[in-house]
Amino acid sequence: MAVLVVSALSVVGTDEVTETKPFTVKDGAYAVVLDEAIVPYSGTSVTVEAENSEGTELFVGTANGVDTDSILDGVAQEQVSNVEFPNTLEHRYIPGDAEPEAAITDRDWWISKDSGEKVAKTFDLDADPQVLVISAANDGESLEGTTVSLKMRVEGVLALSLIGIALGIILAGFGAYFFLRWFNGRIRPEKKSTKARPGTRGSGPGSGSGGGTDTDATFADGTNTGRVQSSRLVKNPGGANAAPPRRQNARGRRSMRAVTAAALTSGLALSGCSALPVAQPHSPDITPYERTALRPGEAGDFMTGYTEALDKTLKDGGTDLEKIQGEPLIDHTRAQMQIAEKAKQKLRAPNFSEVVAGSPSFTEYPMWFYAFGTSKSDKKLTQVQLATRESAAADPIVRTASYIPTDQMPTLMADGNGSVKPGPEGFDKEMTTAADQVSTFLVDGKAGKGDADGLKEGGFKDFRDYLGDLRGKDSGFDKVDISCKPYEKLDFTSMTLSTEHGAIGMGEVRCTMTIEVPDDYSVDLGDTIEAVKTNDKEGNTVKVDTAHPYVLMKTGDQLSAVATDWNVLSSRIE
């Protein structure tokens, strides 16, 4: 007991903290990485401390392992590979690039972060594990001269040690008591017999004052020697002459009860000072990290940041548009900017007041999510955006956007982690079929009974009306042909969400109109087509490319395609 107590106190001391020896980060390492899941303890917390002797400001942050693995993949780093308290902190250097694609300190996926010449981060070993990263806070600086150590709280060890000391003293008292009792009892002689023997004394040696006459005596050996047998110790025979049984010592029983009560009282009193349960060894269960694409509040932050960035880009003539938009949406926006400039109009991004977002969970990049935003200026329509994120070093970009009536906004069913399940099995095939149906309708204007609802409404109908005007007798054009096919550069079928009563997905169809003009006519298709013209070639054939984004919703067994508008992308003369 004493050895255990002394050993425990030598490890943790009286402040109940055990720590590892600090190690110096290897020159050339961009970051120090610690997966919290590898610390083999539970029931306590661990603090990671880092200090730089060169005056370099340090950065420490925690994030999901999916994000840190993505941005630090192939980057030189120092990884903590094993932790055993006290003293043991194994680490290994992994060579690689001097720095990642983008500075990590300003990434939006950090769960917590801090900076300073000396930084510390405490994490709970019973909470969901994250990955802790230490790096230089400023670009162009390194971790040279940085030392890292770990400390673990072991509350309750001091109190338990005191209990151990008390128990040791009590056990030692018990041992001494029983030893002395045994020692004294083993050398105590038995009681002697005091029974008198009949007979007279003679005049020989040993005779005493008798009746004045000599009398013969019979001795135990049957001889008459005239002598008295000398006294000797004899065993007391059993039977009527046996000694009565000894009663237990009442005083000893009272002492035993007092000692036991004192031991229990001391143990209970001291245990009240301990914080139980204390740190316990724990075999880490290291599983692949899974990241929820959007944590609570991120949807609103994303859409607010997106609209602000879009407004700034529109004012700057499209500068850095590729940082917030990707294909196919970026084609729409560039064309709209050209048309607005031709018409001397200003474009503005919508200001969303209500935002909802949903996405499944992921174990790797690229990631994606749907965002739904309603503007105060037009509460009847809700914009649906599909955004993707290629890596942790890249920002989310909006790939497509379209509107649906607000009263048709589906309810997303999220689990406890905020994740929404992908669309049900078979919905991807229904999306492919619906895309073909949209393409066919835009060409011939016919919708079969088995086609998705909504083809004869909204943006689909508007385009067919526009095409009808071009083909009218008053237009003067000799011929107007059209070909359409689904957009193929983005796999819409792999990005769907389940809803309360079905599923939701998005799609787009691209069309090309071929317009032939009589030789004696000049080509004039209006400012819209003129604004997006890509050449000045002479000819009597005009080709116009258009885009038709839509939202596909499934409710029960019914499919509906919703489009509120369509876009002219470019025109050219052949």
Side-chain angles (χ1 to χ4, degrees), residues 25-27 29-32 52 58 134-136 141-146:
V25 180
K26 184 178 179 62
D27 292 346
Y30 176 82
V32 177
N52 186 272
L58 300 177
I134 300 171
S135 71
E141 296 183 345
S142 69
L143 290 177
E144 182 179 357
T146 300

Side-chain angles (χ1 to χ4, degrees), residues 317-340:
T319 304
D320 295 331
L321 181 61
E322 65 279 358
K323 292 183 178 181
I324 58 174
Q325 288 186 356
E327 291 185 341
L329 180 61
I330 195 170
D331 298 336
H332 309 176
T333 304
R334 285 170 174 165
Q336 290 171 358
M337 292 176 65
Q338 291 175 300
I339 295 169

Side-chain angles (χ1 to χ4, degrees), residues 157-186:
V157 172
L158 177 60
L160 290 177
S161 297
L162 294 176
I163 294 175
I165 293 173
L167 290 177
I169 294 173
I170 292 170
L171 291 176
F174 275 128
Y177 169 77
F178 287 113
F179 174 78
L180 292 175
R181 183 176 179 184
W182 168 79
F183 186 80
N184 291 330
R186 75 181 182 85

